[in-house]
């Protein structure tokens, strides 16, 4: 699993980007992923009526969001890049 020191190093050396630019990229990427994975908000009445395929699509879209954008560090104004393997390994090792 990726170490906290590695994340700190990436926050120091990652691509420098103004926060507003990252926010706009976040919005655009989410819109693209919603279309790509056929996701939509189904309303408050459908909280428990979600099939496994839809849950899997949301999970995969979330991983792709992190892969495509990384994580933004507001302290350094830099993007912390993450690979799909790093994200999936971290998700697997998280406590239930």
């Amino acid at each position: 699993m990726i170490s906290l020191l590695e994340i700190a190093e990436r926050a120091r050396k990652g691509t420098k980007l103004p926060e507003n630019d990252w926010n706009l990229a976040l919005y655009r990427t989410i819109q693209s992923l919603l279309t790509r994975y056929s996701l939509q908000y189904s309303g408050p009445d459908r909280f428990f009526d979600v099939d496994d395929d839809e849950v899997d699509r949301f999970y995969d879209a979330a991983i792709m969001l992190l892969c495509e954008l990384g994580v933004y560090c507001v302290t350094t104004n830099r993007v912390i890049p993450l690979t799909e393997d790093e994200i999936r390994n971290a998700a697997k090792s998280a406590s239930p």
Side-chain angles (χ1 to χ4, degrees):
M1 184 165 73
I2 190 169
S3 71
L4 185 57
L5 288 175
E6 176 62 27
I7 294 294
E9 185 69 14
R10 292 179 191 186
R12 192 175 70 82
K13 292 183 174 180
T15 303
K16 195 158 183 80
L17 188 68
E19 187 172 358
N20 286 338
D21 291 353
W22 193 84
N23 289 337
L24 183 58
L26 175 63
Y27 174 79
R28 288 180 177 161
T29 303
I30 289 172
Q31 294 302 312
S32 171
L33 289 169
L34 289 174
T35 302
R36 194 180 329 163
Y37 286 90
S38 302
L39 300 170
Q40 63 185 10
Y41 178 64
S42 55
D45 298 333
R46 196 170 163 251
F47 182 71
F48 292 107
D49 183 27
V50 179
D51 62 28
D52 289 342
D53 179 58
E54 187 175 21
V55 172
D56 290 341
R57 290 193 327 264
F58 270 106
Y59 182 78
D60 290 338
I63 289 177
M64 293 296 25
L65 178 68
L66 288 171
C67 289
E68 291 179 21
L69 285 182
V71 176
Y72 189 74
C73 178
V74 296
T75 305
T76 62
N77 292 344
R78 293 184 183 273
V79 177
I80 301 168
L82 299 167
T83 67
E84 185 174 348
D85 287 340
E86 291 169 337
I87 297 163
R88 289 190 184 276
N89 288 337
K92 284 178 188 174
S93 68
S95 298

